């Protein structure tokens, strides 16, 4: 549980939802602490902690060492065992400052100093047994236990980390020992940090580095005494290395090298008068602790002694070349729940020891340690969890839904369908709800679905109507059209601090030529409405038309009943219900019956019958003596001569194919502007956004343009037919509905640029157009060119209407007014 506060370990195996956040953990800890007397047998022990930077000197005399330890009897009589500290922790710095000790890491003075310490204790040495020691070049730590408590100590480990030169060498760093006393894990760290007053930031950094890198082997004995051991295994903490904070108490001693921030100029006089407190406000360590830059959460006893550095060797006189400082310190940290378990009995330095430029520091402490009754602790722990569970159950929000299935029925392309569901707060507390994502989907709902509101809060007794809206458009239709995906999903409605509800949404998508890929449509020999997923997969392996049947059906109808009868095209709005009928015919493979579609408007004398357009012309491919349905190329009659003279063995390039449709040069009307496309595809959004999408799509399907007719056409009262207008708009809407536009998105920028140059540039921009797209584009341009020649529309109007349908900007690009004009010019160049 590395992401928890240092030293706080809690179980999750019993019920992960109960103790999975710091707030609940703190509550459990507080409850167990209040009842700790029911399962903890508390004891108080004393520990002597001393630290000394010996400046590379030989061991001091036994009398000097004994005066540092303080508890050594001066006479030869026996010392009462129980009057001695249970634990003895001694830390040294600069024990070995020889060059070879740094280079070869072969410091050997630990034995010499160990013998000196034990020798100075006289007969008292027999009262202690060494638990562990660890040396790293100049740093050395020794931990002793009184012989009558040795059996209470277990799981003894030692570690060391260097953080000096290059952040690794042991001239600076720390040595550490951990033990478990009864059932209380303890850790002792002796460190030597960077010197010099200006390196306070480096010292802070070294502290954090040591905290991360000082590690011990995992052990359940490091557990918090308040938490049952069998629960620890389920918390995720078992097995990982232990840090210095995985202990009830952490005692940190050493030459921390923090100095006074500034030199007041009269420090010697202040120290001589014993007015130390006035200088402690400048102590860099206290400043760092207060600002939480280092040693945050640590405590230190009140300092009542003079600065311990820097002295002239053999004296108690400060070196005038250095600013005095309290470099040598003893600090402690307690795990949450163990606050107050460490108390300082004394904290001072030994002025009479003069063998180093540092004075030795010592501290005598009381530590509360515990022996745990495992069975009682388990029982109390379970009672606390049951109490928490009861509180939570009283506060758990609950809700009711009037349905768990949202049925949309048949859904057509571009059709907005709404359904609703009622959500009620049936609990006793406020309810916060939201639809949430699942691992298999980054958004809470598929792209074709909107929910409003998708989150909110209800007070007890309140209800809300959740509106579910479905709309399949060109952005979401590709997979649905071929049945690769179904119009169904399972949504997750999450209650904050409560349960999840599962809502199923489903519908039957009516496969349509609208929203289906062009690559698929040219392979379809039958109506798409009746095709299954297997049918779509199989048709891709068969022959193909040059253009989709639906495109030929629409243009054939317009040729017969618009161009031949003198009706205008692309100026007037169509009829929405009639557009749905035309789409149904295309989807079901039914012919467009003029008796059902045509609705004549205008003067009878303007209704001029013209020659009926021929049926689709079959083109012979090279080497084929017979032509089947799958080999037909559907083209209008005006292109018959062009294609019949074409050598199919040498297929024309894009430029050659389009050049055969050339007209005399003309210019797009300079005052023309196009609407800017908006929006990006997301799986979330408001219902109003969906309505906007649906309105745009309806406009595409029906081309309900309300722009005024050009003056020339308006004055001539050009005849038109609502049915013809509807079919014409369906043609435009078909190209607008393609999942990938006829002219691919990656060519958009080149087409915009070409629109401002020349027709040759426009043809060059399409040189990489896929062959299938080229066939359809040539066919469409031939029909549009014929419509212009026969006066049904103008090049300006065609460019206006088809620019948006044939080209689409890349995601994230919003066309400028200049882009729109260039695209119209581009379409005009192709005509």
């Amino acid at each position: 549980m590395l992401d928890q506060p240092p030293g706080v370990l809690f179980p999750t195996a019993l019920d992960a939802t109960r103790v999975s956040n710091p707030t609940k953990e703190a509550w459990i800890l507080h409850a167990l602490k209040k009842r700790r007397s029911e399962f903890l047998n508390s004891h108080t022990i004393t520990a002597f902690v001393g630290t000394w930077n010996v400046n590379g000197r030989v061991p001091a005399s036994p009398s000097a060492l004994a005066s540092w330890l303080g508890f050594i009897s001066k006479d030869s009589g026996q010392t009462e065992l129980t009057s001695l500290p249970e634990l003895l922790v001694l830390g040294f710095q600069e024990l070995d400052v020889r060059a070879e000790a740094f280079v070869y890491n072969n410091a050997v003075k630990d034995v010499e100093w160990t013998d000196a310490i034990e020798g100075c204790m006289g007969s008292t040495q027999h009262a202690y047994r060494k638990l562990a020691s660890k040396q790293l070049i100049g740093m050395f730590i020794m931990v002793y236990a009184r012989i009558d408590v040795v059996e209470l100590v277990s799981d003894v480990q030692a570690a060391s980390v260097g953080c000096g030169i290059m952040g690794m060498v042991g001239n600076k760093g720390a040595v550490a020992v951990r033990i478990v006393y009864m059932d209380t894990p303890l850790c002792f760290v002796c460190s030597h940090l960077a010197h010099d007053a200006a390196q306070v930031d480096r010292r802070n950094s070294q502290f954090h580095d040591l905290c991360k890198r000082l590690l011990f082997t995992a052990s359940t004995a490091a557990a918090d005494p308040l938490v049952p051991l069998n629960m620890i295994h389920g918390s995720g903490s078992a097995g990982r290395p232990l840090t210095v904070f995985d202990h009830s108490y952490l005692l940190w001693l050493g030459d921390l090298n923090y100095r006074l921030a500034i030199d007041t100029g009269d420090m010697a006089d202040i120290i001589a008068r014993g007015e130390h407190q006035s200088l402690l406000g400048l102590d860099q360590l206290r400043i760092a602790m207060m600002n939480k830059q280092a040693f945050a959460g640590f405590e230190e006893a009140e300092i009542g002694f003079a600065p311990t550095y820097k002295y002239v060797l053999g004296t108690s006189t400060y070196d005038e070349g250095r600013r005095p400082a309290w470099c040598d310190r003893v600090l402690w940290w307690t795990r949450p729940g163990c606050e107050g378990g460490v108390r300082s009995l004394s904290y001072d330095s030994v002025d009479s020891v003069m063998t180093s430029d540092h004075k030795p520091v010592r501290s005598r402490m009381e530590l509360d340690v515990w022996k745990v009754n495992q069975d009682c602790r388990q029982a109390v722990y379970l009672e606390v969890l049951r109490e928490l569970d009861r509180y939570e159950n009283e506060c758990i929000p609950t809700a009711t839904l009037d349905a768990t299935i949202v049925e949309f029925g048949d859904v057509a392309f571009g059709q907005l369908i709404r359904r609703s569901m009622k959500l009620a707060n049936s609990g006793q507390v406020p309810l916060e709800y939201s639809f949430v994502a699942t691992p298999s989907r980054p958004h809470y709902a598929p792209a074709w679905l909107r929910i409003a509101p998708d989150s909110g809060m209800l007070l007890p007794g309140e209800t809300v109507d959740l509106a579910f809206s479905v709309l399949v458009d060109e952005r979401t239709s590709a997979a649905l059209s071929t049945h690769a995906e179904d119009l169904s999903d399972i949504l997750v409605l999450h209650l904050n601090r409560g349960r999840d509800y599962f809502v199923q949404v489903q519908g039957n998508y009516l496969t349509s030529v609208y929203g289906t890929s062009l690559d698929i449509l040219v392979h379809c020999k039958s109506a798409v409405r009746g095709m299954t997923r297997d049918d779509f997969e199989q048709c891709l392996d068969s022959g193909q038309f040059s253009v989709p049947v639906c495109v030929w059906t629409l243009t054939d109808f317009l040729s017969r009943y618009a161009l031949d009868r003198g009706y205008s095209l692309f100026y007037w709005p169509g009829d929405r219900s009639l557009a749905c009928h035309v789409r149904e015919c295309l989807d079901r493979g039914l012919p467009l019956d003029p008796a059902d579609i045509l609705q004549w408007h205008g003067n009878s004398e303007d209704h001029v019958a013209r020659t009926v357009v021929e049926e689709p012309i079959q083109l012979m491919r090279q080497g084929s003596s017979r032509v089947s349905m799958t080999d037909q190329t559907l083209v209008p009659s005006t292109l018959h001569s062009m294609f019949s003279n074409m050598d199919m063995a040498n297929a024309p390039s894009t430029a050659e194919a389009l050049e055969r449709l050339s007209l005399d040069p003309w210019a797009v009307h300079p005052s023309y502007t196009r609407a800017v496309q908006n929006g990006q595809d997301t799986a979330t959004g408001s219902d109003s956004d969906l309505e906007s999408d649906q309105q745009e799509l309806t406009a595409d399907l029906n081309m309900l343009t309300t722009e005024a007719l050009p003056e020339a056409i308006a004055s001539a009262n050009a005849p038109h037919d609502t049915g013809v207008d509807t079919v014409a708009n369906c043609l435009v809407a078909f190209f607008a509905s393609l999942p990938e536009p006829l002219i691919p998105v990656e060519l958009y920028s080149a087409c915009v640029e070409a629109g401002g140059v020349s027709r040759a540039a426009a043809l060059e921009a399409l040189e990489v157009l896929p062959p299938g797209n080229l066939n359809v584009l040539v066919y469409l341009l031939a029909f549009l060119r014929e419509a212009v020649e026969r006066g049904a529309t103008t090049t300006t109007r065609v460019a206006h209407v088809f620019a948006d349908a044939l080209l689409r900007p890349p995601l994230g690009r919003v066309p400028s007014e200049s882009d729109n004009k260039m695209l119209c010019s581009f379409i005009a160049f192709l005509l």
Side-chain angles (χ1 to χ4, degrees):
M1 202 175 294
L2 294 175
D3 56 344
Q4 289 186 334
V8 180
L9 303 176
F10 282 97
T12 57
L14 185 64
D15 187 339
T17 63
R18 297 179 184 173
V19 289
S20 59
N21 62 66
T23 301
K24 293 181 182 179
E25 291 172 354
W27 189 91
I28 293 173
L29 181 63
H30 179 69
L32 289 173
K33 184 178 179 181
K34 290 193 298 183
R35 300 181 59 178
R36 66 196 305 170
S37 61
E38 298 179 36
F39 58 85
L40 291 182
N41 296 319
S42 181
H43 302 268
T44 300
I45 64 172
T46 58
F48 178 92
V49 182
T51 178
W52 189 10
N53 184 322
V54 299
N55 195 223
R57 303 297 171 177
V58 297
S61 65
S63 60
L65 293 175
S67 65
W68 174 36
L69 298 181
F71 57 85
I72 305 299
S73 176
K74 296 182 180 179
D75 54 39
S76 58
Q78 294 294 323
T79 303
E80 183 69 30
L81 185 64
T82 56
S83 67
L84 299 175
E86 281 85 349
L87 296 176
L88 177 60
V89 182
L90 300 177
F92 300 89
Q93 305 83 44
E94 295 189 12
L95 197 72
D96 195 344
V97 294
R98 295 173 300 123
E100 54 267 32
F102 288 90
V103 176
Y104 301 109
N105 194 21
N106 67 342
V108 294
K109 291 191 175 184
D110 55 330
V111 175
E112 182 180 352
W113 275 89
T114 300
D115 292 341
I117 290 294
E118 294 179 354
C120 82
M121 296 171 66
S123 60
T124 308
Q125 66 178 299
H126 302 297
Y128 286 94
R129 181 178 300 172
K130 186 166 72 172
L131 299 177
S133 64
K134 188 70 174 179
Q135 182 178 12
L136 177 63
I137 304 181
M139 290 164 286
F140 181 47
I141 187 172
M142 299 187 297
V143 178
Y144 289 81
R146 207 171 65 194
I147 57 173
D148 61 325
V149 300
V150 169
E151 63 181 11
L152 302 178
V153 178
S154 62
D155 198 21
V156 179
Q157 299 183 46
S160 63
V161 168
C163 63
I165 301 171
M166 300 178 63
M168 298 297 292
V169 179
N171 61 314
K172 294 294 187 290
V175 288
V177 172
R178 75 171 299 271
I179 66 172
V180 176
Y181 194 104
M182 293 185 178
D183 290 315
T184 309
L186 310 174
C187 183
F188 311 104
V189 177
C190 171
S191 69
H192 191 192
L193 304 183
H195 66 284
D196 192 75
Q199 299 203 65
V200 61
D201 290 337
R202 186 178 179 191
R203 286 188 283 274
N204 295 341
S205 177
Q206 287 176 340
F207 163 76
H208 293 290
D209 186 41
L210 293 175
C211 290
K212 294 177 182 177
R213 295 170 56 202
L214 275 172
L215 301 175
F216 303 96
T217 303
S219 170
T220 56
D224 190 325
L226 297 180
V227 180
L229 293 180
N230 62 321
M231 295 294 104
I232 295 299
H233 292 287
S235 69
S237 61
R240 69 167 177 83
L242 302 177
T243 71
V244 294
F245 293 108
D246 287 319
H247 299 82
S248 293
Y249 306 131
L250 167 60
L251 306 185
W252 198 299
L253 54 138
D255 180 3
L256 306 186
N257 254 325
Y258 284 92
R259 311 299 175 89
L260 297 180
I262 60 174
D263 189 347
T264 62
D266 57 350
M267 287 185 178
D269 295 338
I270 293 175
I271 296 172
R273 294 194 302 268
E275 299 174 356
H276 306 142
Q277 294 298 324
S278 61
L279 294 178
L280 285 172
L282 303 175
D283 179 47
Q284 293 176 338
L285 176 58
R286 291 198 170 187
I287 294 173
M289 294 169 65
M290 180 178 61
N291 295 329
K292 300 186 184 302
Q293 297 168 323
F295 293 96
F298 280 74
E299 300 178 69
E300 183 181 20
E302 182 179 353
I303 295 178
F305 51 91
T308 58
Y309 176 82
K310 176 180 184 180
Y311 289 89
V312 176
L313 292 176
T315 72
S316 292
T317 304
Y318 289 105
D319 185 340
E320 295 182 358
R322 294 293 183 91
R323 188 186 310 168
W326 285 276
C327 294
D328 309 280
R329 314 287 275 269
V330 177
L331 310 174
W332 70 87
W333 172 91
T334 61
R335 175 157 43 194
C338 301
E339 295 89 346
V342 177
R343 297 172 295 278
S344 176
L345 300 177
S346 63
Y347 186 35
D348 59 358
S349 66
V350 183
D351 190 62
S352 61
V353 179
M354 306 177 187
T355 58
S356 172
D357 56 355
H358 289 253
K359 296 296 183 181
V361 171
R362 63 191 178 189
S363 176
R364 193 166 179 134
M365 300 177 172
E366 282 186 344
L367 283 70
D368 291 337
V369 294
W370 303 277
K371 183 66 179 176
V372 179
N373 185 316
Q374 303 288 349
D375 294 336
C376 291
R377 179 174 62 178
Q378 178 70 11
V380 172
Y381 181 76
L382 293 178
E383 288 180 13
V384 169
L385 287 184
R386 282 192 290 269
E387 184 181 7
L388 176 61
D389 187 61
R390 178 173 59 84
Y391 290 149
E392 286 189 327
N393 286 338
E394 293 176 354
C395 299
I396 290 177
T398 57
T400 56
L401 292 168
D402 63 352
T404 57
I405 300 178
V406 180
E407 178 61 60
F408 290 107
D410 291 340
V411 178
F413 181 88
Q415 179 185 14
L416 177 63
I417 299 179
R418 290 191 179 92
R419 297 288 185 267
S420 65
M421 175 182 294
K422 190 177 295 295
L423 172 66
N425 183 349
S426 56
Q428 303 301 315
V429 295
L431 177 153
E432 295 181 52
Y433 68 91
S434 62
F435 287 89
V436 296
T438 64
S440 61
R441 185 181 57 233
H443 302 289
Y444 71 78
W448 42 263
L449 181 67
R450 299 290 188 275
I451 306 172
D454 57 8
S455 63
M457 185 179 77
L458 297 175
L459 296 178
E462 287 186 337
T463 62
V464 64
D465 288 326
L466 304 177
F468 296 80
S469 304
V470 62
L471 175 66
V472 179
D473 57 17
E474 70 277 3
R475 295 169 295 183
T476 59
S477 62
L480 295 171
S481 297
T482 59
H483 303 292
E485 294 181 3
D486 296 326
L487 196 72
S488 64
D489 203 354
I490 296 179
L491 310 177
V492 180
L493 176 61
H494 174 69
L495 303 187
N496 185 27
R497 299 180 296 107
R499 59 167 288 191
D500 290 339
Y501 294 81
F502 299 95
V503 178
Q504 183 176 355
V505 293
Q506 59 189 30
N508 176 40
Y509 179 63
L510 302 176
T511 305
S512 173
V513 296
Y514 289 83
T516 300
S517 169
L518 187 66
D519 293 336
I520 294 176
L521 289 175
V522 295
H523 287 87
C524 292
K525 312 304 185 303
S526 59
V528 297
R529 178 63 55 82
M531 296 179 66
T532 65
R533 180 173 181 175
D534 291 339
D535 294 335
F536 280 108
E537 292 177 352
Q538 293 172 6
C539 80
L540 293 176
D541 297 328
S542 62
Q544 68 179 71
F545 296 118
S546 292
V547 295
V549 173
C550 60
V551 175
W552 177 84
T553 301
L554 293 171
T555 55
D556 176 64
F557 184 92
L558 294 175
S559 295
R560 292 173 183 268
Y561 303 107
L563 302 187
D564 289 350
R565 297 188 180 186
Y567 294 158
S568 62
L569 291 178
F570 309 123
Y571 286 103
W572 301 94
D575 179 80
R576 180 176 299 182
S577 60
L578 189 56
C580 293
H581 171 72
V582 172
R583 282 174 38 182
E584 278 293 302
C585 291
L586 297 176
D587 295 342
R588 296 181 180 274
L590 303 176
L592 300 182
D593 188 346
D596 297 331
I597 297 176
L598 295 180
Q599 301 175 39
W600 167 249
H601 294 282
N603 298 325
S604 58
E605 59 270 20
D606 293 327
H607 184 201
V608 181
R610 301 192 180 185
T611 304
V612 177
V613 178
E614 302 174 11
E615 293 297 330
I617 298 171
Q618 300 180 357
L619 294 183
M620 300 293 291
R621 297 188 177 182
Q622 184 182 18
S624 300
S625 59
R626 301 177 61 188
V627 177
S628 66
M629 179 64 178
T630 59
D631 290 321
Q632 289 181 353
T633 300
L634 308 179
V635 296
S637 58
T638 53
L639 287 183
H640 183 200
S641 60
M642 183 187 80
F643 279 102
S644 62
N645 295 328
M646 185 183 297
D647 181 4
M648 299 304 292
N650 298 293
S653 66
T654 301
E656 292 171 343
L658 296 176
E659 187 62 37
R660 299 179 189 184
L661 300 175
S662 62
L663 288 174
D664 292 335
W666 57 273
V668 178
H669 196 283
S671 63
Y672 166 70
T673 61
R674 290 171 55 228
V676 177
Q677 295 179 343
N678 295 318
Q680 296 183 358
D681 183 20
T682 63
T684 60
S686 66
D687 201 38
S688 60
D689 295 334
L690 192 65
E691 290 181 355
S692 176
D693 293 344
Q694 196 267 348
Q695 291 170 2
E696 293 177 5
L697 186 62
T698 300
D700 287 340
L701 292 174
N702 299 293
M703 285 302 296
L704 299 177
T705 176
T706 57
E707 295 182 11
L709 294 176
E711 293 183 3
I713 295 180
S715 60
N717 190 25
H720 73 95
D721 181 278
T722 301
V724 169
D725 295 329
T726 300
V727 174
N729 295 335
C730 285
L731 176 65
V732 178
F734 167 78
F735 286 102
S737 74
L738 292 175
E740 176 68 20
L742 184 60
I743 300 176
V745 172
E746 53 267 25
L747 300 183
Y748 182 85
S749 297
C751 294
V752 170
E753 183 177 352
V757 182
S758 65
R759 184 171 190 275
L763 298 179
E764 183 179 355
L766 296 179
E767 279 296 333
V768 294
L769 195 67
N773 295 50
L774 176 60
N775 287 341
V776 178
L777 181 61
V778 170
Y779 175 85
L780 177 64
L781 292 176
F783 167 75
L784 296 176
R785 177 65 189 93
E786 184 176 358
V788 171
E789 287 182 338
R790 297 173 69 172
T793 186
T794 65
T795 52
T796 302
R797 189 61 182 173
V798 169
H800 181 174
V801 171
F802 279 90
D804 278 338
L806 300 183
L807 294 118
R808 199 173 300 160
L811 187 64
R813 174 170 177 175
V814 178
S816 64
E817 182 177 344
S818 175
D819 290 343
N820 296 332
K821 290 181 179 181
M822 294 304 100
L823 290 178
C824 287
S825 297
F826 175 80
I827 298 297
F829 283 147
L830 298 183
L831 289 171

